[in-house]
Amino acid sequence: MTHPRDVLLGAAAVAPLPVCDHYCGAESRMVKSLAMQAEFIQEFGTCVFDVTLDCEDGARVGAEKDHAFMVLALINKAQSAIKSVACAVLPRVAVRVHPVDHPAFEQDVEILVGGAAQALCHLMIPKVDSLAELERALVCIDRAAQSSSRIDPLPIHVLIESPAAVHCVADIVAHPRVQSASFGLMDFVSAHGGAIPASAMGVSAQSLPEDLDQFSHPLVVRAKLEIAATCHAFGKVASHCVVTEFNNAAVLETAARRASRTLGFGRMWSIHPDQIRPILAAFAPDLTEVVHASRIICAAHAADWAPISVNGTLHDRASYRYFWQILVRAHQTARLPPDDAAQVFFR
């Protein structure tokens, strides 16, 4: 069977990552998040969000080593639990380490990559300001991975958090080991020395231009667009920053929808369990579009990807590519109906 993944995308295919990346730094929240991920897998039949265990902001100053060993123990415990049961869908667990110039960076990498590289879906490196910093980090990461049983290179996610990083984003994102780039809103605003107001760290009720929130301040919006556009240029996934107003699901879902449909981000951070479902809903394509995409892709597959007409509209590989990606997004958000496309292409 000629799979649309191979025919339509080929070498340019973007890694199909879950649309939500859930961060947690305290041990109790890590345990709950891992359990919740297992519950979501049971509910949806696929892994709809990553769990990223945070060493950068989660560790107390002076207790970085103990925190890293605690994270390692949780990862290995979760890995042992997976091996003890028949699980068709594997969970996705990642770690955010300290920045490459932090004294705890190499220690984090030695403990977590050296001890659990085979269990990680990726490693998040924060505050990457240049290609040189990324390459320094990779030397340490690959050295630690040699002591683990992981065979394939560990995918790397980077956090773009400063004006310098935005300036160098193409060099960073183009690196073949980089799978995704996230925008670090809080540090980005802080790096401007008061030139950007604190309002740009949040989301206002109306998000009007004069509100100067994270969706209207020109410098913040420019940075987001630069990251998203660069990721698309190099076939990587752009991940949107946090929304701290986690008690307001409507604000969050509106922000997530803007991140996805207006700014072109492929996924988004969650910092509270209540944010996960609104992010999934916002990033999911409309059901009517999914049904339409399924019809077109199934008809195109039956025609061996030659041009076809659907409802009097011509479609060829250019539009097939778009509609196939709609189906992929529907699968990532557990919104794919059990129709012919699901049975043929997502078994």
Side-chain angles (χ1 to χ4, degrees), residues 159-222:
L159 196 46
I160 305 299
E161 304 183 72
S162 71
V166 173
H167 181 72
C168 299
V169 69
D171 292 336
I172 296 168
V173 169
H175 195 285
R177 287 286 293 281
V178 172
Q179 189 180 57
S180 174
S182 295
F183 178 51
L185 172 67
M186 309 298 182
D187 281 282
F188 180 81
V189 172
S190 299
H192 283 77
I196 299 178
S199 59
M201 295 185 185
V203 180
S204 67
Q206 301 297 324
S207 197
L208 299 172
E210 59 268 23
D211 293 336
L212 295 178
D213 71 352
Q214 67 160 290
F215 287 100
S216 60
H217 193 285
L219 285 175
V220 175
V221 174
R222 172 188 171 272

Side-chain angles (χ1 to χ4, degrees), residues 3-323:
H3 199 283
R5 170 184 60 235
D6 303 317
V7 173
L8 304 179
L9 303 179
V14 176
L17 300 178
V19 300
C20 182
D21 192 2
H22 181 63
Y23 275 71
C24 43
E27 181 177 8
S28 60
R29 293 181 181 179
M30 292 179 184
V31 172
K32 290 179 181 178
S33 297
L34 292 170
M36 184 171 57
Q37 185 184 61
E39 292 169 1
F40 272 59
I41 289 175
Q42 183 71 23
E43 177 181 350
F44 294 119
T46 187
C47 189
V48 294
F49 68 92
D50 289 353
V51 172
T52 298
L53 309 179
D54 190 7
C55 288
E56 183 191 18
D57 291 341
R60 300 191 312 274
V61 175
E64 291 89 354
K65 186 174 184 178
D66 290 341
H67 189 87
F69 273 117
M70 178 272 292
V71 171
L72 176 64
L74 286 179
I75 294 171
N76 287 334
K77 182 178 179 181
Q79 190 74 358
S80 297
I82 294 168
K83 292 178 180 178
S84 66
V85 297
C87 184
V89 178
L90 295 178
R92 289 178 49 89
V93 181
V95 170
R96 175 165 69 163
V97 295
H98 283 83
V100 67
D101 59 355
H102 191 283
F105 171 76
E106 290 194 19
Q107 178 178 267
D108 283 349
V109 171
E110 289 172 3
I111 293 170
L112 293 161
V113 177
Q118 73 283 356
L120 298 176
C121 59
H122 66 265
L123 192 75
M124 166 60 80
I125 309 175
K127 297 180 175 61
V128 178
D129 283 346
S130 67
L131 177 60
E133 285 190 356
L134 173 62
E135 290 176 337
R136 278 174 51 206
L138 285 171
V139 170
C140 182
I141 291 165
D142 290 343
R143 183 173 62 241
Q146 290 177 358
S147 62
S148 75
S149 59
R150 189 182 183 101
I151 299 174
D152 58 314
L154 181 62
I156 301 299
H157 292 200
V158 295
L159 196 46
I160 305 299
E161 304 183 72
S162 71
V166 173
H167 181 72
C168 299
V169 69
D171 292 336
I172 296 168
V173 169
H175 195 285
R177 287 286 293 281
V178 172
Q179 189 180 57
S180 174
S182 295
F183 178 51
L185 172 67
M186 309 298 182
D187 281 282
F188 180 81
V189 172
S190 299
H192 283 77
I196 299 178
S199 59
M201 295 185 185
V203 180
S204 67
Q206 301 297 324
S207 197
L208 299 172
E210 59 268 23
D211 293 336
L212 295 178
D213 71 352
Q214 67 160 290
F215 287 100
S216 60
H217 193 285
L219 285 175
V220 175
V221 174
R222 172 188 171 272
K224 290 183 181 183
L225 290 173
E226 191 75 22
I227 293 167
T230 303
C231 283
H232 285 290
F234 292 102
K236 310 300 174 71
V237 178
S239 187
H240 193 268
C241 58
V242 299
V243 169
T244 56
E245 295 85 354
F246 56 80
N247 285 325
N248 192 328
V251 167
L252 172 68
E253 188 165 345
T254 298
R257 190 170 293 274
R258 294 183 69 179
S260 171
R261 305 200 176 193
T262 304
L263 301 180
F265 282 82
R267 77 193 218 136
M268 184 171 178
W269 285 33
S270 159
I271 55 171
H272 190 280
D274 290 345
Q275 293 185 324
I276 296 173
R277 289 185 188 272
I279 290 173
L280 292 177
F283 276 76
D286 293 333
L287 181 59
T288 53
E289 189 172 25
V290 175
V291 172
H292 185 54
S294 177
R295 181 184 177 190
I296 290 172
I297 292 300
C298 287
H301 177 255
D304 288 329
W305 309 108
I308 60 172
S309 174
V310 176
N311 294 336
T313 299
L314 177 68
H315 292 281
D316 58 16
R317 294 197 185 195
S319 57
Y320 297 161
R321 187 175 298 116
Y322 171 83
F323 289 112

